[in-house]
């Protein structure tokens, strides 16, 4: 069980920005590569008015602020340089689908997909798509949204793979703007299985990879959820990866790097559930030797020792 | 649009202390100077029982703890060494004016002003005063307080300039001890204009510079507020600066350095509103290469690149 | 008044982990020694399912996760290398005593004590025991718990000293998972004295050292509480140390290193109360030159200067 991919958290909802330039990113991709990461997933190309590339569509439709740097271009170039696969995360309006207008979210994103593919589709590191609208249950028309956007991405790009990373509606599924870290009850295994069975049925030809976040349930329950996720994905023909979070949801400071022992335990649980690929949210803040959180560099060292001690 | 000044956050209400000695401060003043900062504003000389210099007045009247280091003397010496103007921030009792006794706050501060001018008035870097009682609306006798203290500072010091840095009662004006980051409604443009028109009318011969904090409103509303601030200040003959905050109010961790793109946008908005001078709260935690928050050093680098690319 | 000891915060409840390996710990023990620290107290050997050594008892009884590293062994070896005394912190179930079953907490811990003494009792740095169940009042059968466990530790180990570190039920005694930092009222001096008089009476032959945490009361009240603690401990024949916290309870971020001026004031208050020994919670996050919180390294420098300027 190895971490093969990481999100790039631009634009971030809730993790303070590190203000890196190209040199820092270049160095970070090198650090990723050194511990076996070969895939980077830009979590979203934009959120509300903040965007990662000079999008005419989002500038015109959403009055988005044109950024000083084209991060998509930079990430693609650095991915090529370091031999990484780049997944492009779709736009999250933060409003249309939240307020029930899934069609508008889909229509807008189709125009973004067209624009992006025209701008960057020729770049060799462009290897897949990430559907950035996260959910934990079958809410609203989330199935239609995933199915429409997944199919459109594949159609435009000649069948490049698509990925989602849902969360589990567990006891730690609480707002990061609340001082609590847990709540009384989470979703049951049965309800989780029922919901996701229905979702997978509806998206199976549009989404290739599902990587559930592993931080919203009590660690004692995690194995059971991982096994359900794996069994369901197998049943419907999706690849099941784990998104092993490298930040700690159990601490008053939201959020700093996770304790290595917790991460190790989660990775070993995923392995026991038969899962072979892991991604993480995310390397650059929580696991990087150059993170502003120095705990992250030590986590990197512990993880490096671990994979050296457990060579396959 | 350049950042010309920074607060020195001693004594802090809410930002954890960095525990710097003279060497670190010396180095920091050098880093400030290198990006064009020529003014340092000590935000307050004391808060409750914590003070920055060995004040006989505050020791006797408020049982203040005599500090091991005389920070006022140190800041004045370092300002002189680095060619910076030093503004002295008045005492904030944290109680008298809060509980409605504005006169006591004024009387106590007049004695502090006398003491300070006697101790440090001869030092060449002493260039102005900062009235540290912050407000967002016309509350209590805030006009009388500003007018009395501003006039007294100028009278004692031969007319040195005085500054205030109010905040806007916007949707992000919430306690830093709440886990939320926004509230439902903020002050309207009209109400803000009415309140500050009345305040400026009352303080116009006592206060020279007003630098509104720019972080309490949604960034989409900021331009409108900046324009009102500028127009009002022009009308009443005050200098209008912006206090462009370099920490991020939108994140669960309260507070870490701001994302460079946000700061750039805010500075450009101020420029469009016709504002020419900016200060920030504050350099040493949020923008300094030696900050304990390493994101700050990267922000410094991004800002340095920006001002080099946009030389005037 | 010097800091002679520090907790080692493994397993932590609430402070994000630094992910150090043996090299970092080795270096940290050296940094401690250089400022006069000669005692390290492992705060607890386990909490719920997380443990610090490969315990057969806790693995069998509590399904504890066997850790990759034996931290107890490592801390004992490093203590010997650096000439430090190591205190072993008992297991905190996080449930039995919390839910009123003090006997189960005691019985389980007796088995842990047996196991630990057998595994590590021969190592020369093993110099004492820490009873990790913290309390602020006479709640439940806390007296019986301290008395039983303290006596058992001494009996098994040939009389090695035992320590507790209670907190005061003051205005800052609030959950770290609340965004507030103070509450309206705390325990009165009288009630504190009554409670602890009764507790000390009941544990006086089982506990040798009491080191009250100094961060839960307003700093203006601290001297009075310290004096009571000292007088009570003297009366019942316990050694009275202070646990001078090196993190800051007054800030929105929970928790970063304390301001040096606050720590200095607290140490001087303890000295005035006649207390001669101090420990701290804790060196490695809040006072270490290699802490992930860089403010800690500056605190270390300020403290070093202080003890050099006030040599006894």
């Amino acid at each position: 069980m190895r971490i093969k991919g990481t999100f790039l958290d631009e634009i971030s909802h809730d993790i303070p920005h590190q203000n890196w330039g190209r040199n820092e990113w270049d160095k970070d991709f090198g650090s990723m590569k050194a511990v076996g990461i070969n895939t980077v997933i830009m979590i979203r190309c934009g959120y509300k008015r903040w965007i990662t590339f000079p999008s005419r569509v989002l500038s015109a439709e959403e009055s988005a602020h044109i950024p000083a740097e084209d991060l998509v271009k930079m990430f693609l170039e650095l991915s090529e340089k370091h031999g990484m696969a780049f997944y492009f995360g779709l736009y999250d309006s933060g409003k249309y689908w939240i307020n029930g207008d899934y069609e508008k979210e889909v229509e807008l994103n189709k125009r973004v997909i067209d624009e992006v593919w025209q701008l960057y589709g020729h770049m060799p590191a462009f290897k897949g798509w990430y559907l950035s609208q996260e959910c934990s249950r079958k809410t609203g028309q989330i199935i239609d949204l995933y199915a429409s956007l997944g199919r459109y991405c594949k159609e435009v790009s000649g069948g490049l793979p698509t990925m989602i990373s849902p969360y589990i509606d567990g006891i730690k599924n609480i707002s990061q703007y609340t001082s609590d870290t847990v709540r009384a009850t989470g979703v049951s295994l049965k309800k989780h299985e029922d919901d996701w069975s229905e979702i997978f049925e509806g998206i199976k030809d549009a989404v290739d990879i599902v990587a559930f976040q592993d931080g919203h349930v009590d660690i004692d329950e995690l194995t059971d959820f991982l096994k359900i996720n794996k069994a369901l994905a197998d049943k419907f023909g999706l690849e099941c990866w784990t998104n092993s979070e490298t930040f700690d949801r159990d601490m008053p400071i939201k959020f700093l790097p996770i304790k290595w022992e917790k991460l190790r335990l989660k990775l070993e649980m995923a392995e026991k559930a038969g899962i072979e690929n892991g991604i993480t949210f995310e390397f650059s803040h929580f696991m990087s030797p150059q993170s502003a959180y120095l705990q992250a560099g030590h986590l990197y060292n512990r993880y490096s020792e671990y994979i050296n001690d457990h060579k396959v």
Side-chain angles (χ1 to χ4, degrees), chain A:
Chain A
M1 186 58 212
R2 294 289 181 273
I3 297 171
K4 303 283 177 60
T6 178
F7 283 101
L8 304 171
D9 190 33
E10 311 263 337
I11 308 300
S12 178
H13 285 153
D14 46 16
I15 309 296
H17 204 271
Q18 303 208 80
N19 292 312
W20 288 354
R22 190 183 186 97
N23 286 343
E24 286 82 21
W25 282 112
D26 192 358
K27 195 172 160 196
D28 226 47
F29 278 44
S31 299
M32 292 173 194
K33 204 65 201 286
V35 288
I37 291 176
N38 57 28
T39 303
V40 290
I41 306 137
M42 192 178 70
I43 196 158
R44 54 188 77 85
C45 68
Y47 177 64
K48 295 180 178 172
R49 295 182 65 187
W50 300 102
I51 56 177
T52 53
F53 71 104
S55 167
R56 286 190 192 180
V57 171
L58 293 169
S59 168
E61 296 295 319
E62 300 297 320
S63 308
H65 311 298
I66 297 296
E69 295 289 331
D70 183 340
L71 293 177
V72 176
K73 183 162 173 282
M74 184 187 76
F75 287 144
L76 279 162
E77 288 169 354
L78 293 177
S79 294
E80 187 178 354
K81 173 177 172 184
H82 292 277
M84 320 275 273
F86 176 85
Y87 279 58
F88 180 91
L90 300 188
Y91 176 70
D92 179 351
S93 72
K95 58 183 180 192
Y96 300 125
W97 69 294
I98 302 295
N99 298 319
D101 192 351
Y102 286 76
E103 279 179 37
K104 171 83 176 165
E105 191 84 10
V106 168
E107 288 317 305
L108 183 59
N109 260 300
K110 286 187 176 175
R111 296 182 57 195
V112 171
I113 294 165
D114 288 337
E115 183 184 31
V116 163
W117 190 250
Q118 194 171 10
L119 286 171
Y120 310 107
H122 63 285
M123 296 181 76
F126 201 128
K127 297 288 191 193
W129 303 90
Y130 175 68
L131 312 185
S132 65
Q133 285 75 10
E134 291 178 9
C135 73
S136 65
R137 302 260 189 127
K138 191 178 76 65
T139 41
Q141 288 91 51
I142 195 72
I143 296 180
D144 292 342
L145 181 143
Y146 284 160
S148 307
L149 290 178
R151 272 185 219 117
Y152 197 76
C153 286
K154 296 171 86 68
E155 184 186 314
V156 163
S157 63
L160 287 184
T162 56
M163 182 192 294
I164 59 172
S165 183
Y167 50 101
I168 299 165
D169 191 23
I171 59 164
K172 299 188 198 173
N173 179 22
I174 52 172
S175 166
Q176 58 276 61
Y177 298 100
T178 299
S179 54
D180 293 323
T181 56
V182 290
R183 55 179 187 161
T185 54
V187 69
S188 68
L189 287 166
K190 177 76 177 68
K191 177 72 181 141
H192 177 74
E193 185 169 10
D194 290 348
D195 271 0
W196 282 96
S197 186
E198 193 174 342
I199 297 173
F200 283 178
E201 171 71 42
I203 66 171
K204 64 188 172 198
D205 62 339
V207 173
D208 300 283
I209 305 161
V210 58
F212 277 96
Q213 302 169 34
D214 74 351
H216 293 79
V217 299
D218 191 285
I219 204 162
D220 295 343
E221 307 172 296
L222 182 58
T223 302
D224 290 336
F225 278 102
L226 288 165
K227 284 179 183 167
I228 287 180
N229 296 343
K230 179 69 167 78
L232 277 180
D234 284 351
K235 176 175 170 191
F236 291 100
L238 282 78
E239 279 187 49
C240 184
W241 298 10
T242 186
N243 174 2
S244 207
E245 296 175 345
T246 34
F247 65 98
D248 202 320
R249 289 187 182 272
D250 301 327
M251 296 289 148
I253 297 184
K254 296 185 177 182
F255 301 101
L256 293 188
I258 203 169
K259 176 177 173 165
W260 160 238
E261 281 285 305
K262 277 193 202 174
L263 178 60
R264 182 178 67 86
L265 196 68
K266 294 196 298 177
L267 293 174
E268 293 178 355
M269 284 174 169
E271 189 166 300
K272 279 177 203 157
I275 295 171
E276 284 167 22
N277 281 307
I279 58 174
T280 187
F281 180 91
E282 37 83 285
F283 183 88
S284 302
H285 283 90
F286 303 119
M287 209 177 162
S288 165
Q290 66 177 350
S291 167
Y293 306 135
L294 300 182
Q295 304 94 336
H298 295 295
L299 181 58
Y300 183 87
N301 293 336
R302 298 295 83 75
Y303 181 71
S304 299
E305 292 163 5
Y306 176 75
I307 58 177
N308 285 329
D309 289 351
H310 296 76
K311 281 201 190 300
V312 274

